[in-house]
Structures are given as C-alpha cells and as structure tokens.
Amino acid sequence: MTSLTELGLTAQGGRDVQITGLSVDSRKVEEGHLFAALPGSSVHGATFVPMALSMGARAILTDPAGARIASEAVAEHDAALVVVEDARQALAYTAALFFGRQPDVMVAVTGTNGKTSVATFARQIWQLLGASAINIGTTGVEGDWQAPSPHTTPEPITLHRMLADAAHAGVEYGAMEASSHGLAQRRLDGVSVTAAAFTNFTQDHLDYHATFEAYFAAKAGLFTRVLPEDGVAVVNVDDPKGVEIEGLCAERGVDVMRIGRSDAADLRVLSQRFDPTGQELRVDFVGNIYQIRLDLIGGFQAENVMTAAGLVMACGADPEEVFSCLPELTGVRGRMEHAATRANGATVFVDYAHTPDAVATAIKALRPHVMGRVIAIIGAGGDRDKTKRPLMGQAAAENADLVIVTDDNPRSEDPAAIRAEVLVGAPDAIEIGDRAEAILRGVDSLQPGDALLICGKGHESGQIIGNDVYPFDDVEQASLAVGALEGRI
C-alpha cells in the first residue's frame, strides 16, 4: 500500500489514507483504491463516484467541477477528496509514483505518420546493439516483453503498469508512440522521457481536435511539456511544422537534432536509390558519410529510419555502431508490408495509410520500386473525420494508375455513403463495397511488373461494421486471393 502523501497528493482537510490501487473505471474499483474522476466529452467521471465508493474506493481524485458533483457522496462515505486543476495530469504523475519503475531509458515519437515505424525501428536498433527493448503503440507492446494495448498511447494506469512490468522483466529501453489524443489527455506526463521525435504534420483526427491549431498544439505538448529541458528533440525539419517544433524547443533551451534532406539537417539523407526489394541510402551525420542498404520498401522509410537512429544516438549510442545495425532492420507489420507475389512477378503490399497525405506518400513511395502500374485500394473509416474522405480519393486518383474504392471500418455509418464521399475525389475509380472482393479484383488485375497497394487497415485484424468486429486481415486476404487465382488453394 502507498499513502496519498507518498503519491504527492494532498487531500482536503489534510487527510492521508493508504491506497491499494488506482482506477479510472468505477466498475473495476477494489477495496482501498483511489478513483480518478476525470472530465469526459459528455459525462464527468464524478458522476460515477457513488458507485466507486460503494465498491470500496478510499480516495477520490478530481477537478473542481468533479468535486462539486461528488462532494456529498464523498462526505457520506468518509473518503479522502483530492481536488486539482488538471486531474488527468495529476493521475499521470500519481500512476508513475504508484507503480514506481520504468525502463531506464524512454523515448517518444509524435507526428501524423510514421510513429509506429520509428518506435519499432528504435526498438530494433537497441536490440541489435545487444540491449533489451520494447516499443509501445498501435501494434501493442512488442520486443523483449510483450502485451496487448487497447490504445496507441495507453491511459496512465495501464501505461505505468506496463512500464513497471517491463522494467521488472529486465527491459532497459522503451520507445513509445505519442498520439495526439494521448498528449491532449496528459497520458504521457508521468513518463521520464530522454528524447522525443517529431515526424510530420498533416490532416487527421479533426473529429476529435476540431481545428488544425488544436491538433498541432496537442502534438507540440510532447516538446513543451513532457520532454525535460535536458532532453533531446529529434525533429524532421523538412516539414514546416518541424521548424515550429524546433523553435519551441529553442525557447526552452532543449537541444535539437535535425533530420531531413535539406542543408539544415544534422542527419541528412543525401541520395537514395531504389530497387524491387529495397533501397540504398547515402547519409551525412555531422560531416561523416555513411552508405546504407535498407531492405525496406518506400522512400519515406529513409526518414523513419534516420529518426529512429537519431533517437537512439540522442540517448547515448555510438553513431558507428548504430549505422552498422541499420541494414538488419525489418519492416513493421502493416506498414508497406509485402503481402504476396503473383506468379507473373506482380507484388501486393499492405499499408496503414488512412489520411490523404499518407495515401499520397505511400503510393509515391512505392512507385520507384515498380516498373508497371500501381493499383491502389482505399476506403475511409466511419464515425471519423468526414472532411478527409474526398481528399483521400483525390490523393489516390492523382498518384495511382487505377483506384478501387471499398469499405474500411464503416462503423455506424452507411458504407455506401462513405464510399460516395471518397469517390467525389476519385470519380473514375472502381467501386466495390465488399473489401474481400475488392482485394480479389485488385489482385486479378495485376499484370507483370505491376504492384497493388491495399491502404487503410495495415496491421488490423478486424473489420468494424456497426457495433460488431468481424475477422479481417488485409495481408491474409491478399495471400488468399493470389492462392485462389493461381490454383494453390
């Protein structure tokens, strides 16, 4: 057990009680827990304080609005009440103190695209250097300690339980994806971050943040609030918003390692040559030239790999050793993943691209590896930002030779209506609602030298229709389609 004062919390009236655990879900409260009643989008968590107290909560952590809602119930149960201005941030610090341990070195990466790849590559580099490491994000917890994760950036209680368990298992290094939702909700505020990276900034999540300004402010919080002043920021200065991040870091005195292709970069991609299975890079790191082979498809992977290398070096690794590891990196599941090859040599790839910029970037990145046509399958998720749907269609139409529009997690919306919005930007595209049929048709259309890029779902293993999740894996469907068309199954 841990007391409130040991957790850095001061209850009204100076009360100090022993805490056995932390909860944000009143249904999971156990005897002696501290229940965090947080503000929600529609209902304040303080509404559930009576239930939490009936389940045995000994203390309540909330904000002034929550205190007004819950004070009567707290008094009736003689529980301790902790009132703070930012309950989400207080919970993050509380969780860090309660669980106590983290891997010795933690890094975090934010940006619209590339977070999973950068975090995964950083973990792989550390492992290749002989260290024990994990990455946490969209694909769960991977590496030397593994666990599922319900969110790209887990809520603080789950996150710090994971970090403590990983540290107890001997994990020394951890790389995290810092989503805009997670940053806005202060989920990372209790993590001791040594270095932080910024990849890029394009349209996404406007259903949550409402404006570009709010979306960018959330991501900037990694550098203005979470990263300590003695930390290192690894920033893509080819992106205009990266230059803004650099400026915000300069205001705090945070050291910046610049990544990019421009002369301003400290770690600079000088040239790039593509072939059907990967690429060759020539890079300059503060005056030292390296030539590197990457068995990775897509030009954007150069920036992802350099950002990951930058994070590892920012944490003290020797540059020569880091660059020597890079040819051994393997691709991330669902990120420009090779799914199948037809007998005629045509290839099929699966990518998580689900924003206009990501779709355009993925198709452009695949193009130099392909002698024939690039065929793209795209869709758009239901109950998400509607403004990007025609833009996704346009991005595919402008960059692919043939576009097929299909369903991608329609959720509660009418799938046909979603497809119609995507088709506004790609009026000449083929419309096939059933995703399995769309993949089959796409594979069937492949001629020698062509490539099919299936965008949107990446690593996901389910299709969300209404409130149900049906098993569906793009890589598996592509393999089945090739096998069926060529008589292998």
Side-chain angles (χ1 to χ4, degrees):
M1 291 196 295
T2 306
S3 69
L4 286 178
T5 55
E6 289 174 319
L7 295 175
L9 301 174
T10 302
Q12 289 184 346
R15 291 193 59 186
D16 194 16
V17 297
Q18 295 292 311
I19 299 300
T20 62
L22 308 176
S23 299
V24 288
D25 186 336
S26 59
R27 297 166 297 183
K28 297 181 180 179
V29 171
E30 297 180 12
E31 187 67 36
H33 273 203
L34 178 146
F35 174 66
L38 307 176
S41 56
S42 57
V43 177
H44 199 292
T47 305
F48 304 100
V49 164
M51 179 178 178
L53 292 168
S54 69
M55 298 281 284
R58 190 169 294 165
I60 303 297
L61 170 65
T62 192
D63 58 13
R68 289 191 291 272
I69 297 170
S71 57
E72 185 176 333
V74 170
E76 288 179 2
H77 285 79
D78 193 32
L81 179 62
V82 180
V83 183
V84 295
E85 286 300 319
D86 191 334
R88 292 187 181 278
Q89 187 177 60
L91 175 61
Y93 290 130
T94 299
L97 289 170
F98 183 84
F99 290 102
R101 290 193 63 185
Q102 302 177 22
D104 297 333
V105 175
M106 291 294 302
V107 300
V109 54
T110 196
T112 306
N113 303 311
K115 296 187 294 297
T116 301
S117 294
V118 171
T120 304
F121 290 147
R123 182 260 298 170
Q124 289 184 20
I125 294 169
W126 274 316
Q127 288 179 311
L128 290 167
L129 291 173
S132 177
I134 58 172
N135 62 278
I136 302 173
T138 309
T139 53
V141 184
E142 298 180 315
D144 291 300
W145 183 84
Q146 299 181 5
S149 177
H151 302 287
T152 299
T153 306
E155 53 83 18
I157 298 173
T158 300
L159 173 59
H160 285 283
R161 183 182 290 113
M162 284 178 173
L163 294 178
D165 288 346
H168 284 295
V171 172
E172 306 163 89
Y173 294 88
M176 284 189 62
E177 296 178 49
S179 70
S180 58
H181 294 68
L183 286 164
Q185 295 174 13
R186 306 297 196 261
R187 296 179 190 174
L188 282 89
D189 283 43
V191 180
S192 297
V193 175
T194 300
F198 177 84
T199 59
N200 49 60
F201 183 82
T202 59
Q203 179 172 343
D204 199 13
H205 301 306
L206 295 189
D207 53 311
Y208 179 84
H209 296 287
T211 66
F212 276 111
E213 292 75 18
Y215 179 37
F216 178 70
K219 292 193 173 297
L222 178 60
F223 305 91
T224 60
R225 191 183 69 251
V226 178
L227 183 67
E229 292 180 359
D230 61 353
V232 179
V234 179
V235 180
N236 173 16
V237 291
D238 288 346
D239 189 293
K241 289 296 185 181
V243 178
E244 287 190 40
I245 293 292
E246 182 184 5
L248 293 171
C249 290
E251 292 175 7
R252 299 182 63 218
V254 173
D255 289 338
V256 176
M257 183 188 295
R258 302 164 189 84
I259 307 293
R261 298 172 186 266
S262 68
D263 292 340
D266 304 301
L267 178 47
R268 183 184 175 199
V269 178
L270 299 173
S271 57
Q272 197 169 16
R273 184 173 62 195
F274 303 95
D275 59 51
T277 61
Q279 56 194 286
E280 296 273 349
L281 299 182
R282 189 167 183 263
V283 301
D284 178 343
F285 180 55
V286 293
N288 297 305
I289 306 298
Y290 299 87
Q291 186 153 333
I292 304 158
R293 166 72 190 181
L294 297 177
D295 291 328
L296 301 169
I297 297 295
F300 60 86
Q301 294 286 30
E303 282 83 1
N304 289 337
V305 170
M306 292 305 109
T307 302
L311 282 171
V312 174
M313 291 188 292
C315 295
D318 179 75
E320 294 290 336
E321 293 183 2
V322 169
F323 285 111
S324 70
C325 290
L326 302 186
E328 298 182 59
L329 296 178
T330 57
V332 180
R333 184 162 53 95
R335 270 66 176 175
M336 204 58 80
E337 179 179 357
H338 176 239
T341 300
R342 293 214 60 177
N344 64 10
T347 50
V348 184
F349 295 90
V350 168
D351 193 77
Y352 192 51
H354 60 280
T355 69
D357 179 73
V359 169
T361 298
I363 297 171
K364 289 177 181 177
L366 181 58
R367 177 74 66 182
H369 300 273
V370 179
M371 294 184 68
R373 299 174 301 162
V374 174
I375 301 168
I377 295 178
I378 65 166
D383 303 330
R384 297 295 186 267
D385 179 12
K386 295 184 178 182
T387 65
K388 71 179 184 181
R389 293 172 185 173
L391 299 177
M392 290 178 67
Q394 181 181 354
E398 290 178 348
N399 293 286
D401 298 294
L402 176 65
V403 179
I404 299 173
V405 175
T406 189
D407 293 341
D408 181 349
N409 295 332
R411 299 183 176 86
S412 70
E413 290 193 62
D414 176 11
I418 297 174
R419 295 196 302 273
E421 293 181 57
V422 176
L423 285 162
V424 169
D428 296 327
I430 299 170
E431 180 182 3
I432 304 173
D434 183 271
R435 193 172 182 90
E437 181 184 350
I439 292 172
L440 180 65
R441 292 269 297 275
V443 170
D444 191 35
S445 68
L446 290 172
Q447 299 172 4
D450 289 348
L452 172 65
L453 180 62
I454 307 170
C455 298
K457 295 179 65 61
H459 64 282
E460 293 177 0
S461 58
Q463 174 86 314
I464 307 172
I465 302 174
N467 293 320
D468 299 315
V469 181
Y470 298 91
F472 197 97
D473 185 302
D474 281 354
V475 173
E476 181 180 88
Q477 287 295 322
S479 180
L480 288 172
V482 170
L485 290 167
E486 299 186 357
R488 302 178 195 168
I489 57 174

Coordinates of all heavy atoms in Angstrom, one line a residue, residues 128-181:
L128 N 19.6 -4.8 -31.6 CA 20.7 -5.2 -32.4 C 22.0 -4.8 -31.7 O 23.1 -5.4 -32.0 CB 20.6 -4.5 -33.8 CG 19.6 -5.1 -34.7 CD1 19.3 -4.2 -35.9 CD2 19.9 -6.5 -35.2
L129 N 21.9 -3.7 -30.9 CA 23.1 -3.3 -30.1 C 23.3 -4.2 -28.9 O 24.2 -3.9 -28.1 CB 22.9 -1.8 -29.7 CG 23.0 -0.8 -30.9 CD1 22.7 0.6 -30.4 CD2 24.4 -0.8 -31.5
G130 N 22.4 -5.1 -28.6 CA 22.6 -6.0 -27.5 C 21.8 -5.7 -26.3 O 21.9 -6.3 -25.2
A131 N 20.9 -4.7 -26.4 CA 20.1 -4.3 -25.2 C 18.7 -4.9 -25.2 O 18.3 -5.4 -26.3 CB 20.0 -2.7 -25.2
S132 N 18.0 -4.9 -24.1 CA 16.7 -5.4 -24.0 C 15.7 -4.2 -24.2 O 15.9 -3.1 -23.5 CB 16.4 -6.0 -22.6 OG 15.1 -6.4 -22.5
A133 N 14.8 -4.3 -25.1 CA 14.0 -3.1 -25.5 C 12.6 -3.5 -25.9 O 12.3 -4.6 -26.3 CB 14.7 -2.3 -26.6
I134 N 11.7 -2.5 -25.8 CA 10.3 -2.7 -26.3 C 9.9 -1.5 -27.0 O 10.5 -0.4 -26.9 CB 9.3 -2.9 -25.1 CG1 9.4 -1.7 -24.1 CG2 9.6 -4.2 -24.4 CD1 8.3 -1.8 -23.0
N135 N 8.8 -1.6 -27.8 CA 8.1 -0.4 -28.4 C 6.6 -0.6 -28.0 O 6.1 -1.7 -28.0 CB 8.3 -0.3 -29.9 CG 7.8 -1.4 -30.7 OD1 8.5 -2.4 -30.8 ND2 6.6 -1.3 -31.3
I136 N 6.0 0.6 -27.7 CA 4.6 0.6 -27.3 C 3.8 1.5 -28.3 O 4.2 2.6 -28.6 CB 4.4 1.2 -25.9 CG1 5.2 0.4 -24.9 CG2 3.0 1.2 -25.5 CD1 5.3 1.0 -23.5
G137 N 2.7 1.0 -28.8 CA 1.9 1.8 -29.7 C 0.7 1.0 -30.4 O 0.1 0.2 -29.8
T138 N 0.5 1.4 -31.6 CA -0.7 0.9 -32.3 C -0.7 -0.6 -32.4 O -1.7 -1.3 -32.4 CB -0.7 1.5 -33.8 OG1 -0.6 2.9 -33.7 CG2 -2.0 1.1 -34.5
T139 N 0.5 -1.2 -32.5 CA 0.6 -2.7 -32.6 C 0.8 -3.4 -31.3 O 1.1 -4.6 -31.2 CB 1.8 -3.1 -33.6 OG1 3.0 -2.4 -33.1 CG2 1.5 -2.6 -35.0
G140 N 0.5 -2.7 -30.2 CA 0.7 -3.2 -28.9 C 2.1 -3.0 -28.3 O 2.8 -2.1 -28.7
V141 N 2.5 -3.9 -27.4 CA 3.8 -3.8 -26.8 C 4.6 -5.0 -27.5 O 4.3 -6.1 -27.3 CB 3.8 -4.0 -25.3 CG1 5.2 -3.8 -24.7 CG2 2.9 -3.0 -24.6
E142 N 5.7 -4.6 -28.2 CA 6.5 -5.6 -28.9 C 7.9 -5.5 -28.5 O 8.4 -4.5 -28.0 CB 6.4 -5.3 -30.4 CG 5.0 -5.5 -31.0 CD 4.9 -5.2 -32.5 OE1 5.5 -4.2 -32.9 OE2 4.2 -6.0 -33.2
G143 N 8.7 -6.6 -28.6 CA 10.1 -6.6 -28.3 C 10.4 -7.7 -27.3 O 9.8 -8.8 -27.3
D144 N 11.2 -7.4 -26.3 CA 11.7 -8.3 -25.3 C 10.6 -8.6 -24.2 O 10.9 -9.5 -23.4 CB 13.0 -7.9 -24.7 CG 14.1 -8.0 -25.7 OD1 14.4 -9.1 -26.2 OD2 14.7 -6.9 -26.0
W145 N 9.6 -7.8 -24.2 CA 8.4 -8.1 -23.3 C 7.2 -7.7 -24.1 O 7.2 -6.6 -24.7 CB 8.6 -7.2 -22.0 CG 7.5 -7.5 -21.0 CD1 7.4 -8.5 -20.1 CD2 6.3 -6.7 -20.8 NE1 6.3 -8.4 -19.4 CE2 5.5 -7.3 -19.8 CE3 5.8 -5.6 -21.4 CZ2 4.3 -6.8 -19.3 CZ3 4.5 -5.1 -21.0 CH2 3.8 -5.7 -20.0
Q146 N 6.2 -8.5 -24.1 CA 5.1 -8.3 -25.0 C 3.8 -8.3 -24.2 O 3.6 -9.0 -23.2 CB 5.0 -9.3 -26.1 CG 6.3 -9.3 -27.0 CD 6.2 -10.4 -28.1 OE1 5.2 -11.0 -28.3 NE2 7.3 -10.5 -28.8
A147 N 2.8 -7.4 -24.7 CA 1.5 -7.3 -24.1 C 0.6 -6.6 -25.1 O 1.1 -5.8 -26.0 CB 1.5 -6.6 -22.8
P148 N -0.7 -6.9 -25.1 CA -1.6 -6.2 -25.9 C -1.8 -4.8 -25.4 O -1.6 -4.5 -24.2 CB -2.9 -7.0 -25.8 CG -2.9 -7.7 -24.5 CD -1.4 -8.0 -24.3
S149 N -2.2 -3.8 -26.2 CA -2.5 -2.5 -25.8 C -3.8 -2.0 -26.4 O -3.9 -2.0 -27.7 CB -1.3 -1.5 -26.1 OG -1.6 -0.2 -25.7
P150 N -4.8 -1.5 -25.6 CA -6.0 -1.1 -26.2 C -6.0 0.2 -27.0 O -6.8 0.5 -27.8 CB -6.9 -0.9 -25.0 CG -6.0 -0.6 -23.9 CD -4.7 -1.4 -24.2
H151 N -4.9 1.0 -26.7 CA -4.8 2.3 -27.4 C -3.4 2.5 -27.9 O -2.4 1.9 -27.4 CB -5.2 3.5 -26.4 CG -6.5 3.4 -25.9 ND1 -7.7 3.6 -26.6 CD2 -7.0 3.1 -24.6 CE1 -8.7 3.5 -25.9 NE2 -8.4 3.1 -24.7
T152 N -3.2 3.4 -28.9 CA -1.8 3.8 -29.3 C -1.0 4.2 -28.2 O 0.1 3.8 -28.0 CB -1.9 4.8 -30.4 OG1 -2.7 4.3 -31.5 CG2 -0.5 5.2 -30.9
T153 N -1.6 5.2 -27.4 CA -0.9 5.6 -26.1 C -1.9 5.3 -25.0 O -2.9 5.9 -24.8 CB -0.7 7.2 -26.2 OG1 0.0 7.5 -27.3 CG2 0.1 7.6 -24.9
P154 N -1.6 4.2 -24.2 CA -2.5 3.8 -23.2 C -2.7 4.8 -22.1 O -1.9 5.7 -21.9 CB -1.8 2.6 -22.6 CG -0.8 2.1 -23.6 CD -0.4 3.4 -24.3
E155 N -3.9 4.7 -21.4 CA -4.2 5.7 -20.3 C -3.1 5.4 -19.2 O -2.5 4.3 -19.2 CB -5.6 5.5 -19.8 CG -6.1 4.1 -19.5 CD -5.7 3.7 -18.1 OE1 -5.4 4.6 -17.3 OE2 -5.7 2.5 -17.8
P156 N -2.9 6.4 -18.3 CA -1.7 6.3 -17.4 C -1.7 5.1 -16.5 O -0.6 4.6 -16.3 CB -1.9 7.6 -16.6 CG -2.6 8.5 -17.5 CD -3.6 7.7 -18.2
I157 N -2.8 4.6 -16.0 CA -2.7 3.4 -15.1 C -2.2 2.2 -15.9 O -1.3 1.5 -15.4 CB -4.1 3.2 -14.5 CG1 -4.5 4.4 -13.6 CG2 -4.0 1.9 -13.6 CD1 -5.9 4.3 -13.0
T158 N -2.8 2.0 -17.0 CA -2.4 0.8 -17.9 C -0.9 1.0 -18.3 O -0.1 0.1 -18.3 CB -3.3 0.7 -19.1 OG1 -4.6 0.5 -18.7 CG2 -2.9 -0.4 -20.0
L159 N -0.6 2.2 -18.8 CA 0.7 2.5 -19.3 C 1.8 2.3 -18.2 O 2.8 1.6 -18.4 CB 0.8 4.0 -19.7 CG 2.2 4.5 -20.1 CD1 2.8 3.6 -21.3 CD2 2.1 5.9 -20.6
H160 N 1.6 2.8 -17.0 CA 2.6 2.7 -16.0 C 2.7 1.3 -15.4 O 3.8 0.8 -14.9 CB 2.5 3.7 -14.9 CG 2.9 5.1 -15.4 ND1 4.2 5.4 -15.5 CD2 2.2 6.1 -15.9 CE1 4.3 6.7 -16.0 NE2 3.1 7.1 -16.2
R161 N 1.6 0.5 -15.4 CA 1.6 -0.9 -15.0 C 2.5 -1.6 -16.0 O 3.3 -2.5 -15.7 CB 0.2 -1.5 -15.0 CG 0.2 -2.9 -14.5 CD -1.2 -3.5 -14.5 NE -2.0 -2.9 -13.4 CZ -3.1 -2.2 -13.7 NH1 -3.4 -1.9 -14.9 NH2 -3.8 -1.7 -12.7
M162 N 2.3 -1.3 -17.3 CA 3.1 -1.9 -18.4 C 4.6 -1.6 -18.2 O 5.4 -2.5 -18.3 CB 2.6 -1.4 -19.8 CG 1.4 -2.0 -20.3 SD 1.0 -1.2 -21.9 CE -0.4 -2.1 -22.5
L163 N 4.9 -0.4 -18.0 CA 6.3 0.1 -17.9 C 6.9 -0.6 -16.7 O 8.1 -1.0 -16.8 CB 6.4 1.6 -17.8 CG 6.0 2.4 -19.1 CD1 6.1 3.9 -18.8 CD2 6.8 2.0 -20.3
A164 N 6.2 -0.7 -15.6 CA 6.8 -1.3 -14.4 C 7.0 -2.8 -14.6 O 8.1 -3.3 -14.3 CB 5.8 -1.1 -13.2
D165 N 6.0 -3.5 -15.2 CA 6.2 -4.9 -15.5 C 7.4 -5.2 -16.5 O 8.1 -6.1 -16.3 CB 4.9 -5.5 -16.1 CG 3.8 -5.6 -15.1 OD1 4.0 -5.5 -13.9 OD2 2.6 -5.7 -15.5
A166 N 7.5 -4.3 -17.5 CA 8.6 -4.4 -18.4 C 9.9 -4.2 -17.7 O 10.9 -5.0 -18.0 CB 8.4 -3.4 -19.6
A167 N 10.0 -3.2 -16.9 CA 11.3 -3.0 -16.1 C 11.6 -4.1 -15.2 O 12.8 -4.6 -15.2 CB 11.1 -1.7 -15.3
H168 N 10.6 -4.7 -14.5 CA 10.9 -5.9 -13.7 C 11.3 -7.1 -14.5 O 12.0 -7.9 -14.0 CB 9.6 -6.2 -12.9 CG 9.3 -5.3 -11.7 ND1 10.2 -5.1 -10.6 CD2 8.3 -4.4 -11.5 CE1 9.7 -4.2 -9.8 NE2 8.6 -3.8 -10.3
A169 N 10.9 -7.1 -15.8 CA 11.3 -8.2 -16.7 C 12.7 -8.0 -17.3 O 13.1 -8.8 -18.1 CB 10.3 -8.4 -17.8
G170 N 13.3 -6.9 -16.9 CA 14.7 -6.6 -17.4 C 14.8 -5.7 -18.6 O 15.9 -5.6 -19.2
V171 N 13.7 -5.1 -19.0 CA 13.7 -4.2 -20.2 C 14.5 -2.9 -19.8 O 14.1 -2.3 -18.9 CB 12.3 -3.9 -20.7 CG1 12.4 -2.9 -21.8 CG2 11.7 -5.2 -21.3
E172 N 15.4 -2.6 -20.6 CA 16.2 -1.4 -20.4 C 15.8 -0.2 -21.2 O 15.9 1.0 -20.7 CB 17.7 -1.6 -20.7 CG 18.3 -2.9 -20.1 CD 19.6 -3.3 -20.8 OE1 20.7 -2.8 -20.4 OE2 19.5 -4.1 -21.7
Y173 N 15.3 -0.4 -22.4 CA 14.9 0.7 -23.3 C 13.5 0.6 -23.8 O 13.0 -0.5 -24.0 CB 15.8 0.8 -24.5 CG 17.3 1.1 -24.1 CD1 18.2 0.1 -23.8 CD2 17.8 2.4 -24.2 CE1 19.5 0.3 -23.5 CE2 19.1 2.7 -23.9 CZ 19.9 1.6 -23.5 OH 21.3 1.9 -23.2
G174 N 12.8 1.7 -23.9 CA 11.4 1.7 -24.4 C 11.2 2.9 -25.4 O 11.6 4.0 -25.1
A175 N 10.5 2.6 -26.5 CA 10.1 3.6 -27.4 C 8.6 3.6 -27.5 O 8.0 2.6 -27.7 CB 10.7 3.3 -28.8
M176 N 8.0 4.8 -27.3 CA 6.5 5.0 -27.3 C 6.0 5.8 -28.5 O 6.7 6.8 -28.9 CB 6.1 5.7 -26.0 CG 6.1 4.8 -24.8 SD 5.3 5.8 -23.5 CE 3.6 6.0 -24.1
E177 N 4.9 5.4 -29.0 CA 4.1 6.3 -29.9 C 3.3 7.3 -29.0 O 2.6 6.9 -28.1 CB 3.2 5.6 -30.7 CG 3.8 4.6 -31.7 CD 2.8 3.8 -32.5 OE1 1.9 4.5 -33.1 OE2 2.9 2.6 -32.6
A178 N 3.4 8.6 -29.3 CA 2.7 9.6 -28.6 C 1.6 10.2 -29.5 O 1.9 11.0 -30.3 CB 3.6 10.7 -28.1
S179 N 0.4 9.6 -29.3 CA -0.7 10.1 -30.1 C -1.2 11.5 -29.7 O -1.0 11.9 -28.5 CB -1.9 9.1 -30.1 OG -2.5 9.1 -28.8
S180 N -1.9 12.2 -30.6 CA -2.4 13.5 -30.2 C -3.4 13.4 -29.1 O -3.5 14.2 -28.2 CB -3.0 14.2 -31.4 OG -4.0 13.4 -32.0
H181 N -4.3 12.3 -29.2 CA -5.2 12.1 -28.1 C -4.5 11.9 -26.8 O -4.9 12.4 -25.7 CB -6.1 10.8 -28.4 CG -7.0 10.9 -29.6 ND1 -6.5 11.0 -30.9 CD2 -8.3 10.9 -29.7 CE1 -7.5 11.1 -31.7 NE2 -8.6 11.0 -31.1

